Amino acid sequence: MGHETRLLIGGESTFGQGAEIEVENPATEEIVATVGSASGEQLDAAVRAATAAKASWAGMPAVDRAPLLHEIATALRAKTDELALLMTTEIGRPLTESADEVEWCAACFDYYAEVARSEIGRVIPPIEASQFSVVVKEPHGVVGCIVPWNFPLLLLTWKVAPALAAGNTVVAKPSELTPLSTLAIADVFSNLPAGTVNLVAGAGETGAAIADHPGIDCIAFTGSVATGRNVGIAAASRNARVNLEMGGKDPFIVCDDIGTEGVEIAARGGAWAAYLNAGQVCTSSERFYVMEDVFDQYVAAFVEHTDSLVIGDPLEAATDLGPMVSAAQRGKALAQVEDAVAGGAELLAGGGRAGFEKGHYLEPCVLTGVHFDADLLREETFGPVAPIVPVKDLDEAIAFANGLDFGLGANIYTRDLKRAIRCVKEVRAGSVWINDPLTDNDAGPFGGFKNSGIGRELGTEGLDAFREAKHAHIDTEIEIKEWWYPYG
Ligand code: NAD
């Protein structure tokens, strides 16, 4: 299959002149394409193109932008098979999950096309009878989007769709692990004025150059805590607007009030929440706190379900888990498992290569007896690993849940309304899912507390991330105000 390896700069397809990136298929370890990064001059050209396009795009009424954004959604849906195959080729996850991602992107463009039509501010009560006061929300200008590899098109869309809907223009960079799917969507933006969306490729230096670029007014970043901190520092050094979506270590609490059938369901839901995309989801459930009365049943059901999952070629329809994205990611997750086992934990399932000689396969792991201080219970794992810990009550579970400097998501299984509401109120995380692990809803905000992020994507909050508020005080009278000089 020939891959699109050209960048999109100012409406033109052009090969990157910077360092070459080799794109690996994690299932076969073959290099499937080579992509040229944007050179410094090309990044400048992309920013210039976005700058040149910003006034007319910002000036277009939202009602006129809306059909263009719907066209993008339609064009994405029409490319579902191609894009799903590309994402599976770059990431290694099952084709079904990749196809779902394309639909989520399309739905997000449709959502913001309409949401941005409903308001650009508000009218507020004036402080003088002769005044009329309005808050006007304006686009920032050029938005630089920097995204990771685990949901390359979705995390790009969560930035590009609201940024465009709010009237910004965009320079976007995918991860160096997954440039192909992003470069392949250049044509869906061909209905927009040239320069409105620019797509560049590159690794960390290109990301840093975007964060530092004086022509970029707002940086929207998703990735690790360490990189996000650097992006935040770069933004602060020139007071650029910034939105940071970073890592997590999501807890999954199972209460003892859900009955035998509920425990079995929570085990399956927990396994899905831990293993989806081979555990490489920012909101993967990475630590399970299960009340003592149902602990044994829960662990047994979790292990049984884990053992039943099909690990294999991500292009096969029956495959539940493909390989991890890279040798480095696999090595990092496995090292945490091995460290936990060395510290006394018991590995009840997984840890092997599922019989594959090639490919970054890691059989999903279930562990108990992990020491409280082990990295596996404290640091992001980003792999298909489920450490399960008994807790005596909800107090202890919430204390564990809140005990780290992460706060992205949290799951709770309970039928007790009091417990559910208590978790909603007390768990410090941007998403709290009660009996519904890991779902997204375009209409609701997504983001993190603490080290997991600053700002929100999705919902009206995600539109506001790309708008600056201006307060206009309009007085219909020209008169001398009594609070002016002289005071005496
Ligand atoms: P990463 O931080 O290594 O890279 C993310 C992006 O930043 C890539 O495009 C990379 O090229 C770029 N980059 C690297 N160094 C940079 C620098 N100095 N300045 C600017 N950009 C730079 O993360 P990753 O390994 O690609 O992704 C995995 C991480 O992303 C995990 O920690 C995961 O939790 C997080 N994540 C968070 C969310 C969320 O919404 N909160 C969603 C998905 C993934």
Side-chain angles (χ1 to χ4, degrees), residues 146-151 155 158-159 173-177 202-209 211 221-228 230-231 244-248 280-283 329 380 382 408 446-448 452 457:
I146 303 171
V147 292
W149 46 266
N150 61 333
F151 287 91
L155 298 170
W158 286 7
K159 296 161 184 57
K173 185 194 89 63
S175 162
E176 56 276 29
L177 298 184
E205 309 94 79
T206 312
F221 169 85
T222 299
S224 62
V225 174
T227 310
N230 287 335
V231 170
L244 302 174
E245 300 282 346
M246 299 181 280
Q280 303 163 123
V281 183
C282 51
T283 49
Q329 287 294 328
E380 190 175 52
F382 230 56
L408 195 54
F446 180 93
S452 294
E457 294 189 323

Side-chain angles (χ1 to χ4, degrees), residues 1-5 20-25 30-36 86 89-90 176-177 179-180 183:
M1 177 167 72
H3 299 293
E4 178 57 83
T5 56
E20 294 211 322
I21 299 170
E22 290 189 331
V23 184
E24 185 200 45
N25 178 338
E30 284 164 7
I31 302 301
V32 293
T34 304
V35 174
L86 269 175
T89 305
E90 293 181 306
E176 56 276 29
L177 298 184
L180 299 178
L183 299 181

